[in-house]
Amino acid sequence: MKKIVFLTGAGMSVESGFKTFRGNDGLWENFPVEDVATHEGWLRNPTLVTNFYNGLRKKLYAAQPNEGHKLIAALEKDYDVTVVTQNVDNLHEKASSTNVIHLHGELTKVCSSRDQFDERYVKELTEDNAEVTPGEKAGDGSLLRPFIVFFGESVPMIEPAARATMKADILVIIGTSLNVYPAAGLMMYAPENTPIYLIDPSEEVQNISRRVHFIKKGASAGMKELVELLDD
């Protein structure tokens, strides 16, 4: 069974009406990124950050996967599919993808602010229990913080993502400018003869040094075209 690796970014979720903080305007839902998505912002005002993610979580639970998410999940019938996403939403999982690597964390989870990757204190929130009370603590006595990789923090999931990409028979990049590192460097891990498809409606895509099949469409329309190409 051939292995397809998808690398998805903000453009993957835009059709589902869910914004991400990797936008060009430095704002996430009208909040400056440095206030809600940096370690300094967290230390400065953990109550603001906690309430911001409480509100964002509600928006996520109301969002639904789009056709692009569903088409990726459907490919699992015929391919070994790994999704590497820069997004913090769970829309790939909602669409039934079973192997998703989250580079920048998961909005549906909270964790220790002393060590966010200590699995003992990572907690999954549910739709009927999606809010964290400001001041609420993890099992180690530190404040519960969003399970999000803030700007400037290390990205530990980049290593399993790189290992998956090294085994890719096909690499598909959707809705990312390839300007955000270390994720942007993942393409370089694909074997030299692996075909690379880039699905993005923008006219200009930078930082591409490999030969790429460019599909200038949004996530859903682009995935439909990709599926047709794979079936040929």
Side-chain angles (χ1 to χ4, degrees):
M1 187 179 278
K2 281 191 172 181
K3 182 172 185 62
I4 300 186
V5 174
F6 286 89
L7 173 59
T8 67
M12 186 77 232
S13 299
V14 89
E15 291 173 37
S16 296
F18 192 76
K19 294 181 182 178
T20 78
F21 58 88
R22 301 283 168 174
N24 296 323
D25 54 8
L27 296 174
W28 192 9
E29 296 289 348
N30 299 317
F31 282 81
V33 163
E34 57 267 23
D35 287 349
V36 295
T38 64
H39 186 64
E40 293 75 19
W42 166 257
L43 292 177
R44 193 164 52 240
N45 195 339
T47 296
L48 170 71
V49 175
T50 296
N51 286 332
F52 171 79
Y53 287 92
N54 283 341
L56 202 60
R57 225 170 273 121
K58 286 180 185 173
K59 292 185 178 182
L60 174 57
Y61 288 133
Q64 295 302 320
N66 58 55
E67 191 64 20
H69 291 108
K70 293 173 186 175
L71 288 169
I72 290 173
L75 284 174
E76 291 190 13
K77 293 174 192 166
D78 301 307
Y79 295 89
D80 173 7
V81 178
T82 297
V83 178
V84 178
T85 186
Q86 297 173 188
N87 301 333
V88 298
D89 60 59
N90 63 348
L91 295 172
H92 283 296
E93 287 90 344
K94 273 189 176 181
S96 301
S97 284
T98 59
N99 186 14
V100 183
I101 297 171
H102 284 269
L103 292 179
H104 297 147
E106 298 175 66
L107 181 57
T108 57
K109 295 179 179 179
V110 287
C111 59
S112 157
S113 54
R114 186 171 297 142
D115 178 3
Q116 69 261 44
F117 298 104
D118 188 329
E119 293 181 2
R120 293 174 296 173
Y121 308 120
V122 176
K123 174 182 168 186
E124 177 99 36
L125 300 175
T126 59
E127 291 196 33
D128 55 0
N129 185 25
E131 290 207 10
V132 176
T133 305
E136 194 174 338
K137 295 187 176 174
D140 63 356
S142 69
L143 285 178
L144 272 178
R145 63 162 264 183
F147 188 60
I148 300 292
V149 176
F150 291 146
F151 281 96
E153 292 183 330
S154 63
V155 183
M157 294 308 291
I158 198 73
E159 291 182 15
R163 286 196 296 271
T165 307
M166 288 168 76
K167 298 175 184 173
D169 295 303
I170 301 167
L171 177 63
V172 185
I173 302 164
I174 305 179
T176 174
S177 65
L178 295 180
N179 289 327
V180 179
Y181 283 85
L186 279 175
M187 185 168 63
M188 296 301 104
Y189 285 93
E192 194 173 337
N193 296 324
T194 294
I196 300 175
Y197 296 86
L198 176 60
I199 298 172
D200 197 290
S202 31
E203 291 297 320
E204 292 184 19
V205 178
Q206 301 173 352
N207 294 341
I208 294 182
S209 55
R210 293 272 298 263
R211 231 173 120 187
V212 172
H213 184 105
F214 194 9
I215 299 174
K216 290 189 181 182
K217 294 181 179 178
S220 294
M223 273 303 301
K224 285 177 187 170
E225 182 171 325
L226 176 72
V227 170
E228 289 170 5
L229 289 168
L230 294 176
D231 285 343
D232 285 346

